[in-house]
């Protein structure tokens, strides 16, 4: 219903930036907005945490996790060049899916069981679903598949090679054309909005992003080129997956692998397939603000996609004017080499930090490795980012406690102010203890106006997604060194005030706290 209404919107809806600003401003947290929010969690109406099709047979995936032996700190920092031409096998696909969205831990709570997954997710609500669109792989026939983490299985929604639908929907994006397989991430509104209401649309970017950090790292470890695609004709991808776009929408695509021969351009029969799935809850609440920003950031033709991608705005911090401190990452020889598979399985959000310091090389290494760039269609130069990195340092050996901004191009921190800001950090992170006790709090801030001017409302998706990926890489960069981490939410304007005047005019995308776990040494 809502997506059909898109046809009535003016052609340049993506460039009407009021939509993104309206959504952003009305979903900011402030002390007053949190105090006045009467929302409560209706446990009896809690959404199902995974999508369950009623009729399709599951196709079990191989469960053995291959040990690539590739160091997590390399896997998060590098990507594979597109000169390989191997067709992935089903084991590699299973590995990618498991380490991206598989069940990794299980805990019983009075309200029921929670299956924790490979990547962090707001409220452990797991609103991101994964689909695979592939040609013939080794031991897997061409098709469109849904991944079920509960059964660790695929369900085939369409038989045959539908990659040409994605080539068209992405206006011939090169990585998609040459990809033996593409993973599509969709987001389900109600599954997360049950708790977070309209702010869930931001969570789409963050939670999809942490999951993509794993996916990109595992692809690198498997020697597979991978590229994140944010620009596509929304309605065409949703139709391919036969999702109900009032409830579930395609949010990002990752082209995986590279095969020199072009994908077969078969005529794509996109007849409706009417797939039933179990309702998530007894009833669902619609938060129109999210549907409005989604519609306003949708791209509606390959031509629009083509003009949308690339040519990211130049995002350079002004040269430092305050004292600078050089970072000291480990050399390649000194770098901890814990493999990516182990680090992903070890990861879990810190629930309590000990107020003890971490080393400067550890800290420098995670910052350096996590921010080396994301291969994406909204970035034309590897290493450049939409988000800037601001930090509150509490306990890092060799650094004065204080507020900093990271100049990646110079590998230095610029000190904006010194002091013990534990209490302020606790407040900024929504009055929680975690950011107060951490060794450091890392904020991603972006010049939203500049990004929206270049990418339209779709830039809002890209900037949240990138912040989620960088945060996911930070998680992995921390756990690779036996340091702990957690994503956190925040009081938007208070964060900007804290880092101003330097951060004047920017908006907060995400926050990650890192430090030593108080409960168990990792
Ligand atoms: C974007 C983001 C924001 C989060 N915000 C908070 C938060 O404000 N407070 C908190 O205690 N945990 C927060 N978390 C941690 C999640 O609760 C945690 O990821 C989830 O329960 C799954 O557990 P796991 O990360 O240990 O697998 C956040 C995680 C993410 C990815």
């Amino acid at each position: 219903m809502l997506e059909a209404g898109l046809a009535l919107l003016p052609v340049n809806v993506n460039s009407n930036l009021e939509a993104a600003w309206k959504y952003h401003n009305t979903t900011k947290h402030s002390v007053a907005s949190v105090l006045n929010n009467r929302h409560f969690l209706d446990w009896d109406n809690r959404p199902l945490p995974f999508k369950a099709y009623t009729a399709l047979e599951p196709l079990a995936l191989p469960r053995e996790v291959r040990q690539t032996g590739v160091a997590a700190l390399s896997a998060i920092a590098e990507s594979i060049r597109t000169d390989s031409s191997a067709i992935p096998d089903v084991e590699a696909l299973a590995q990618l899916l498991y380490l991206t969205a598989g069940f990794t831990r299980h805990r019983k709570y009075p309200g029921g069981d929670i299956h924790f997954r490979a990547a962090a997710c707001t409220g452990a609500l797991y609103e991101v679903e994964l689909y695979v669109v592939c040609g013939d792989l080794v031991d897997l026939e061409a098709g469109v598949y849904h991944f079920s983490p509960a059964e660790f299985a695929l369900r085939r929604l369409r038989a045959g090679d539908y990659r040409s639908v994605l080539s068209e929907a992405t206006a011939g994006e090169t990585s998609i054309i040459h990809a033996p397989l593409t993973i599509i991430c969709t987001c389900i509104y109600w599954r997360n909005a049950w708790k977070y209401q309209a702010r869930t649309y931001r969570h789409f970017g963050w939670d999809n992003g942490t999951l993509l950090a794993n996916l990109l790292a595992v692809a690198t470890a498997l020697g597979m080129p991978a590229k994140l695609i944010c620009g596509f004709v929304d309605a065409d991808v949703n139709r391919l997956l036969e999702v109900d776009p009032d409830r579930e929408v395609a949010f990002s695509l990752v082209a995986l692998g590279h095969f020199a021969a072009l994908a077969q351009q078969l005529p794509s029969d996109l007849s409706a397939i009417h797939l039933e799935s179990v309702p998530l809850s007894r009833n669902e609440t619609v938060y129109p603000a999210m549907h409005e920003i989604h519609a306003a950031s949708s791209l509606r033709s390959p031509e629009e996609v083509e003009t949308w991608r690339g040519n990211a705005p130049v995002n350079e911090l002004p040269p430092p004017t305050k004292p600078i401190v050089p970072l000291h990452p480990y050399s390649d020889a000194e770098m901890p080499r814990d493999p990516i598979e182990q680090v992903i399985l070890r990861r879990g959000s810190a629930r309590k930090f000990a107020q003890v310091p971490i080393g400067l090389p550890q800290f420098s290494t995670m910052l350096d490795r996590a921010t080396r760039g994301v291969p994406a269609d909204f970035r034309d130069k590897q290493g450049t980012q939409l988000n800037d990195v601001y930090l509150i340092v509490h306990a890092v050996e060799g650094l004065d406690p204080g507020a900093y901004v990271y100049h990646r191009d110079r590998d230095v921190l610029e000190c904006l102010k010194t002091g013990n800001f534990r209490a302020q950090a606790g407040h900024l992170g929504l009055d929680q203890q975690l950011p107060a006790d951490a060794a450091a709090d890392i904020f991603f801030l972006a010049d939203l106006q500049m990004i929206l001017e270049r990418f339209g409302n779709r830039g809002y998706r890209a900037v949240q997604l990138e912040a989620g990926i960088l945060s996911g890489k930070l998680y992995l960069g921390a756990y690779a060194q036996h340091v702990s981490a957690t994503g956190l939410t925040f009081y938007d304007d208070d964060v900007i005030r804290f880092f101003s005047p330097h951060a004047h005019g920017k908006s907060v995308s995400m926050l990650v706290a890192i430090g030593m776990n108080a409960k168990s040494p990792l």
Side-chain angles (χ1 to χ4, degrees), residues 14-17 20 308 451-460:
N14 185 48
S15 50
N16 177 6
L17 306 186
W308 181 85
I451 293 162
L452 296 178
E453 275 171 14
R454 167 60 193 91
F455 289 121
N457 296 316
R458 188 68 154 227
Y460 195 72

Side-chain angles (χ1 to χ4, degrees), residues 259-504:
F259 202 69
L262 290 184
Q264 288 172 295
Q265 298 295 318
L266 291 179
S268 31
D269 163 27
L270 268 194
S271 47
I273 39 179
H274 305 299
L275 300 164
E276 291 289 318
S277 60
V278 179
L280 292 184
S281 289
R282 207 178 46 242
N283 48 55
E284 300 184 10
T285 306
V286 173
Y287 295 93
M290 295 197 282
H291 298 276
E292 283 164 25
I293 176 65
H294 188 75
S297 60
S298 288
L299 304 176
R300 286 175 305 137
S301 67
E303 295 72 34
E304 197 179 356
V305 170
E306 192 153 22
T307 46
W308 181 85
R309 74 171 155 240
N311 297 323
V314 178
N315 177 31
E316 280 174 4
L317 288 169
T321 55
K322 300 266 176 70
I324 56 168
V325 195
L327 289 176
H328 291 290
Y330 289 120
S331 66
D332 283 350
E334 299 165 318
M335 192 183 64
R337 299 210 54 83
D338 296 21
I340 184 68
E341 300 81 23
Q342 280 180 22
V343 170
I344 288 178
L345 297 181
R346 176 195 297 164
R347 190 211 61 80
S349 297
R351 300 294 82 195
K352 187 166 171 49
F353 288 114
Q355 288 193 9
V356 294
I358 61 170
L360 184 58
Q362 284 178 316
F363 182 62
S364 307
T365 299
M366 64 185 88
L367 273 182
D368 168 40
R369 297 272 163 165
T371 59
R372 289 207 185 167
V374 175
D377 60 348
F378 54 85
R379 295 276 55 177
D380 16 41
K381 217 172 102 209
Q382 182 85 356
T384 53
Q385 284 172 193
L386 302 179
N387 285 281
D388 298 321
V389 183
Y390 287 73
L391 310 98
I392 306 181
V393 171
H394 306 301
V396 177
E397 284 160 5
L399 284 181
D400 289 335
Y404 294 84
V405 60
Y406 177 36
H407 290 262
R408 160 124 232 102
D409 51 339
R410 299 160 198 249
D411 220 7
V412 299
L413 295 181
E414 178 181 1
C415 182
L416 304 176
K417 52 189 172 187
T418 54
N420 177 341
F421 295 120
R422 284 195 186 275
Q424 287 92 328
H427 168 69
L428 297 178
L430 220 75
D431 290 314
Q432 299 181 77
Q433 198 54 40
L434 284 158
D437 289 340
D441 299 305
I442 300 161
F443 295 79
F444 295 104
L445 268 56
D447 181 343
L448 206 48
Q449 182 60 25
M450 177 187 75
I451 293 162
L452 296 178
E453 275 171 14
R454 167 60 193 91
F455 289 121
N457 296 316
R458 188 68 154 227
Y460 195 72
R461 296 192 203 176
V463 75
Q464 305 300 335
L465 202 48
E466 187 199 76
I469 296 172
L470 296 172
S471 302
K473 287 183 180 222
L474 271 176
Y475 260 105
L476 298 175
Y479 282 83
Q481 304 184 76
H482 298 269
V483 174
S484 195
T486 184
L488 290 164
T489 195
F490 45 82
Y491 290 124
D492 292 76
D493 290 345
D494 291 353
V495 172
I496 299 302
R497 263 191 292 277
F498 177 83
F499 288 110
S500 286
H502 198 280
H504 181 72

Side-chain angles (χ1 to χ4, degrees), residues 133-136 142-144 159-165 180 263-264 266-268:
V133 178
C134 61
D136 282 331
V144 177
D161 190 345
Y162 282 86
R163 289 175 296 163
S164 57
V165 176
Q264 288 172 295
L266 291 179
S268 31

Side-chain angles (χ1 to χ4, degrees), residues 79-337:
S79 46
I80 303 295
R81 290 208 326 270
T82 55
D83 49 11
S84 75
S85 60
I87 297 284
D89 56 21
V90 75
E91 274 111 36
L93 176 60
Q95 173 109 341
L96 283 166
L97 293 169
Y98 178 62
L99 294 172
T100 297
F103 289 176
T104 50
R105 280 175 300 135
H106 172 235
R107 230 173 261 160
K108 284 194 180 301
Y109 286 91
D113 290 8
I114 298 189
H115 290 275
F116 289 90
R117 305 217 193 158
C121 177
T122 50
L125 291 166
Y126 304 113
E127 73 277 15
V128 182
E129 295 283 331
L130 300 186
Y131 297 81
V132 176
V133 178
C134 61
D136 282 331
L137 305 183
V138 179
D139 296 328
L140 188 73
E141 285 174 17
V144 177
Y145 296 88
H146 172 258
F147 170 58
S148 162
E151 297 146 297
F152 200 56
L154 294 174
R155 278 191 170 73
R156 190 157 70 176
L157 313 182
R158 295 180 189 271
D161 190 345
Y162 282 86
R163 289 175 296 163
S164 57
V165 176
L166 297 183
S167 316
E168 275 172 48
T170 59
E173 156 66 42
T174 317
S175 61
I176 293 277
I177 289 179
H178 291 283
L181 74 133
T182 293
I183 290 184
I184 303 177
C185 306
T186 67
C187 297
I188 297 185
Y189 291 102
W190 172 243
R191 199 180 287 152
N192 192 269
W194 170 74
K195 180 169 183 185
Y196 296 104
Q197 303 168 279
R199 203 164 150 102
T200 279
Y201 200 78
R202 298 191 190 202
H203 296 198
F204 281 5
W206 305 344
D207 296 333
N208 190 175
T210 56
L211 181 151
L212 289 177
N214 286 20
L215 178 56
L216 294 171
V218 176
T220 295
L222 290 169
M224 231 186 253
K227 186 172 175 187
L228 166 63
I229 308 300
C230 206
F232 52 88
V233 180
D234 295 78
D236 292 354
V237 177
N238 290 337
R239 198 174 311 121
L240 175 67
L241 306 178
E242 194 77 8
V243 293
D244 170 1
D246 290 346
R247 295 198 162 85
E248 176 179 2
V249 287
F251 203 81
S252 67
L253 275 51
V254 180
L256 287 154
H258 181 91
F259 202 69
L262 290 184
Q264 288 172 295
Q265 298 295 318
L266 291 179
S268 31
D269 163 27
L270 268 194
S271 47
I273 39 179
H274 305 299
L275 300 164
E276 291 289 318
S277 60
V278 179
L280 292 184
S281 289
R282 207 178 46 242
N283 48 55
E284 300 184 10
T285 306
V286 173
Y287 295 93
M290 295 197 282
H291 298 276
E292 283 164 25
I293 176 65
H294 188 75
S297 60
S298 288
L299 304 176
R300 286 175 305 137
S301 67
E303 295 72 34
E304 197 179 356
V305 170
E306 192 153 22
T307 46
W308 181 85
R309 74 171 155 240
N311 297 323
V314 178
N315 177 31
E316 280 174 4
L317 288 169
T321 55
K322 300 266 176 70
I324 56 168
V325 195
L327 289 176
H328 291 290
Y330 289 120
S331 66
D332 283 350
E334 299 165 318
M335 192 183 64
R337 299 210 54 83

